[in-house]
Amino acid sequence: MDLLTIIVAILFVSLILNLLLKRINVSPIVGYIFTGMIFALFLDIIKIDQNNMAHIAEFGIVFLMFTIGLEFSMTHLKQMKKEVFVYGFLQVTLSSLIFTYIAHIGFNLDMKTSIIIGSALALSSTAIVLKTLNENGDIHRSYGRNSVGILIFQDLAVIPILLMITILADTTVSLETIIWNTLYSAVIVGIILFVLGKYILELFLAYVIDTKIGELFIMSIILIVLSSALLAYTFGFSYSLGAFIAGMLIAETKYKYQIEADLIPFRDILLGVFFISVGMQVNFTTVTENFLTIVALTTVILIIKVAIIFGILKFFTDAKKSLETALALAQVGEFSFAVFALASARNLLENDLNQIMLSVIILSLLFTSLVIRHVRGFVKFFDKKSLEIEDEPIMKNAGIKDHIIVCGYSILGKKIVKKLKDCGINYVAIEHDRKHVKEGKEKGDTVIFGNAASKTMLNSLFIKDAIAVIIAMENDDNIRLISQTIKNIDPNISITVKISHESQIEEFEDLQIDSFVHEHDLVARRLIEKATRCIIKEKVLK
């Protein structure tokens, strides 16, 4: 079977599976894993090279770590310091210690293997939990805030966990030498990336953007991500570490939002490949022989994680919010696949044990996909006295809650922004021309560089919390793209569009635009106002 046929078959099966699973609100991640498992049954027939698949799939984790790095701003961490550094630290530390103890004492595994298993089981699924919380709006509730804070610390913990595996695997030199070499390499990598990020990166991106060739911008970002990953790998670290640092550096530039919007499709596709490759690694013989063990382990792990997280949070908040958070984070996360894959490659994990742990993670992710949307309903069922309380947003929205989003910051956009500022109305403008963005920054206006037709961009500017969107652009195609994207996010968002001729109203009729402002009507009205003011003035003088 040729390569193209294999790719078409994988895409077809993945699409059909995810369409079916979507009906019962199961995450696409589970669909990708099941796709891989289906093809694992036919590996001998179609001769898929799993090593090549694994190499390609690893870049899914690389780009995931890069986009996570983009989210790490000091402002964000300061706003959530309790949730991240208290709840998160306690959850990861206690979970790791308890699972390590159980693996070592209860299952008689050696200490290195126990530490790896304990660390991996402490992690939860950032991809599934965040996506679900965003979709159902629970990210704005207290348990959503707690969940996000703990997930942020878990994401931070992935880097030292991967480094720890590298240290545990090297038995040729002393632990002290390994630690010193690691610190030495980390300092060099950090200095190189910091210098490049602070003094060269933004100038380089500005030069690329000035060419006004969109694909060059995307290519330059991919180059930055992969180069950073390669640099870290050259010094003995994982690809993910370099990508994560690159994301943190770019997070400080004005191109953060556009980069995030452009790269998410690449990241999601590569992550899909990663999860398909995980499914292909499942050995059905081992799974069948240990099926009851896998189910029992999954159940016990879920219960223990719920108990740990509930116990920690009960000291800081009420039982209802503690239980909601615990249920949301009970599963084992996608980064655990990467942890076990690295440990297995370094011969720190036996193949049968690796197969059992992979199956446990898959089963826990399936459980989460089915349950997480009903967490609050489940808790309310057992706590009928609980009242529904609207919680504070996870972020303070950078001063743009109840704001107006202005798409375009050229001549008209600048005038609209000036009027909004004069009226004291919160706003944020999106502009794709770097020169206009620079001009807006110099004037003190809130202008973001990016594509206003990007769903990711609009969501990052809290469009669901906005009063309205004003599209101040001339190009009909751009108006159509932006309007379609907005209505796909939420049909109730109010859109106002400037038009130059009446026929545009009919052209845009299918977009459900709330209001049109005809530029000639405005000019006519303004001219009449000026003319009548002059007439009145003359009469007064007479």
Side-chain angles (χ1 to χ4, degrees):
M1 189 178 292
D2 63 273
L3 181 61
L4 182 59
T5 305
I6 293 171
I7 293 172
V8 170
I10 290 174
L11 289 174
F12 177 77
V13 172
S14 178
L15 179 62
I16 297 300
L17 264 178
N18 278 303
L19 287 174
L20 293 174
L21 292 173
K22 179 63 178 175
R23 292 179 174 274
I24 54 174
N25 288 322
V26 174
S27 169
I29 289 175
V30 177
Y32 295 138
I33 294 172
F34 282 175
T35 300
M37 291 172 69
I38 290 170
F39 278 87
L41 292 171
F42 307 104
L43 282 178
D44 292 334
I45 299 173
I46 60 179
K47 305 292 184 186
I48 294 176
D49 189 334
Q50 286 199 70
N51 289 327
N52 289 337
M53 280 287 293
H55 287 311
I56 296 170
E58 188 172 0
F59 288 106
I61 294 295
V62 167
F63 280 95
L64 177 60
M65 288 305 296
F66 174 74
T67 51
I68 287 172
L70 281 176
E71 294 300 318
F72 279 89
S73 66
M74 292 309 297
T75 302
H76 193 177
L77 291 177
K78 285 178 182 176
Q79 289 173 352
M80 301 186 66
K81 54 183 179 290
K82 184 177 182 181
E83 291 81 1
V84 175
F85 298 110
V86 178
Y87 301 169
F89 172 79
L90 289 174
Q91 185 274 321
V92 171
T93 304
L94 289 178
S95 297
S96 298
L97 290 173
I98 290 171
F99 284 123
T100 298
Y101 179 82
I102 292 172
H104 185 56
I105 302 300
F107 292 88
N108 201 30
L109 298 175
D110 64 82
M111 184 53 74
K112 287 185 179 181
T113 303
S114 300
I115 291 171
I116 292 166
I117 291 174
S119 301
L121 296 182
L123 304 176
S124 304
S125 176
T126 301
I128 292 180
V129 175
L130 281 188
K131 190 173 188 300
T132 307
L133 290 176
N134 272 306
E135 286 177 353
N136 61 19
D138 283 357
I139 201 164
H140 295 298
R141 300 181 183 277
S142 287
Y143 96 87
R145 182 186 179 96
N146 293 340
S147 300
V148 172
I150 292 171
L151 286 171
I152 287 174
F153 190 87
Q154 288 182 3
D155 292 340
L156 283 171
V158 169
I159 299 301
I161 289 172
L162 294 176
L163 286 174
M164 176 192 69
I165 293 173
T166 304
I167 292 171
L168 291 175
D170 195 340
T171 57
T172 58
V173 292
S174 67
L175 180 61
E176 184 180 356
T177 303
I178 293 173
I179 292 173
W180 277 112
N181 287 340
T182 302
L183 290 173
Y184 174 73
S185 299
V187 169
I188 294 175
V189 171
I191 290 173
I192 292 172
L193 291 178
F194 175 77
V195 171
L196 291 175
K198 187 171 181 64
Y199 299 105
I200 298 174
L201 188 60
E202 192 154 354
L203 291 173
F204 169 67
L205 290 175
Y207 182 78
V208 172
I209 289 165
D210 285 343
T211 64
K212 300 189 185 301
I213 303 176
E215 57 267 31
L216 287 184
F217 180 67
I218 296 174
M219 285 172 62
S220 65
I221 299 305
I222 295 174
L223 174 64
I224 290 168
V225 176
L226 298 184
S227 298
S228 301
L230 182 60
L231 177 67
Y233 184 76
T234 303
F235 280 88
F237 299 107
S238 67
Y239 291 124
S240 301
L241 175 62
F244 179 77
I245 295 173
M248 291 186 69
L249 293 173
I250 288 179
E252 302 302 320
T253 72
K254 59 188 174 187
Y255 309 114
K256 167 188 171 179
Y257 295 106
Q258 186 57 40
I259 290 169
E260 189 175 22
D262 285 340
L263 275 192
I264 276 182
F266 291 96
R267 182 201 70 185
D268 291 346
I269 290 170
L270 289 168
L271 270 178
V273 175
F274 171 76
F275 289 118
I276 289 171
S277 71
V278 167
M280 286 181 174
Q281 294 168 29
V282 174
N283 185 314
F284 283 90
T285 304
T286 306
V287 172
T288 305
E289 292 174 353
N290 298 278
F291 180 74
L292 292 178
T293 302
I294 291 167
V295 173
L297 279 175
T298 305
T299 305
V300 170
I301 288 167
L302 290 171
I303 292 171
I304 290 174
K305 283 192 79 171
V306 168
I308 292 170
I309 298 170
F310 177 80
I312 292 169
L313 295 181
K314 190 66 175 65
F315 283 102
F316 302 95
T317 184
D318 60 68
K320 174 176 174 289
K321 293 170 187 173
S322 300
L323 184 56
E324 287 172 343
T325 307
L327 290 171
L329 300 177
Q331 76 292 138
V332 187
E334 60 277 347
F335 279 122
S336 300
F337 288 126
V339 171
F340 288 134
L342 182 60
S344 183
R346 299 295 178 95
N347 298 315
L348 292 172
L349 207 62
E350 293 180 2
N351 185 56
D352 285 351
L353 182 57
N354 185 41
Q355 287 294 323
I356 291 171
M357 297 315 301
L358 285 179
S359 302
V360 167
I361 299 172
I362 293 169
L363 201 56
S364 76
L365 289 175
L366 178 60
F367 167 82
T368 298
S369 296
L370 294 171
V371 170
I372 189 171
R373 295 175 186 276
H374 310 291
V375 162
R376 287 196 299 125
F378 177 81
V379 173
K380 286 172 68 178
F381 179 78
F382 289 98
D383 183 17
K384 299 185 184 298
K385 295 181 180 180
S386 64
L387 299 174
E388 192 62 34
I389 301 173
E390 281 299 318
D391 297 311
E392 73 280 6
I394 188 169
M395 294 174 65
K396 296 179 181 176
N397 290 9
I400 55 171
K401 184 175 173 61
D402 297 326
H403 55 298
I404 290 178
I405 296 177
V406 181
C407 300
Y409 188 76
S410 55
I411 297 172
L412 177 61
K414 290 169 186 171
K415 290 181 178 179
I416 293 170
V417 165
K418 186 177 185 304
K419 288 287 185 183
L420 291 173
K421 286 174 71 176
D422 291 342
C423 295
I425 298 173
N426 289 334
Y427 73 92
V428 59
I430 309 173
E431 174 57 49
H432 68 279
D433 190 314
R434 187 178 70 86
K435 292 180 181 177
H436 289 318
V437 174
K438 184 180 179 182
E439 184 181 341
K441 297 286 186 183
E442 290 172 351
K443 291 168 63 177
D445 293 341
T446 307
V447 188
I448 303 295
F449 174 82
N451 176 13
S454 164
K455 183 178 179 180
T456 305
M457 169 66 70
L458 293 170
N459 279 326
S460 69
L461 299 179
F462 306 95
I463 189 169
K464 290 184 179 180
D465 295 328
I467 298 170
V469 177
I470 299 175
I471 302 177
M473 294 182 176
E474 300 289 341
N475 187 287
D476 285 4
D477 291 337
N478 287 341
I479 293 172
R480 176 169 289 277
L481 280 172
I482 294 168
S483 300
Q484 285 175 338
T485 304
I486 293 169
K487 291 300 181 181
N488 285 337
I489 294 172
D490 187 346
N492 298 316
I493 297 171
S494 175
I495 303 175
T496 300
V497 175
K498 189 272 295 183
I499 58 173
S500 54
H501 50 85
E502 293 291 337
S503 63
Q504 286 179 290
I505 297 177
E506 294 182 11
E507 290 174 16
F508 297 144
E509 188 176 0
D510 61 308
L511 298 176
Q512 299 179 322
I513 293 172
D514 299 272
S515 55
F516 296 93
V517 177
H518 199 303
E519 63 179 18
H520 296 313
D521 288 345
L522 287 175
V523 172
R525 191 184 309 159
R526 194 71 177 146
L527 288 169
I528 291 169
E529 286 177 1
K530 290 282 187 182
T532 52
R533 195 178 299 164
C534 291
I535 294 170
I536 293 170
K537 191 174 181 179
E538 286 179 6
K539 287 182 177 180
V540 170
L541 291 173
K542 288 179 180 180

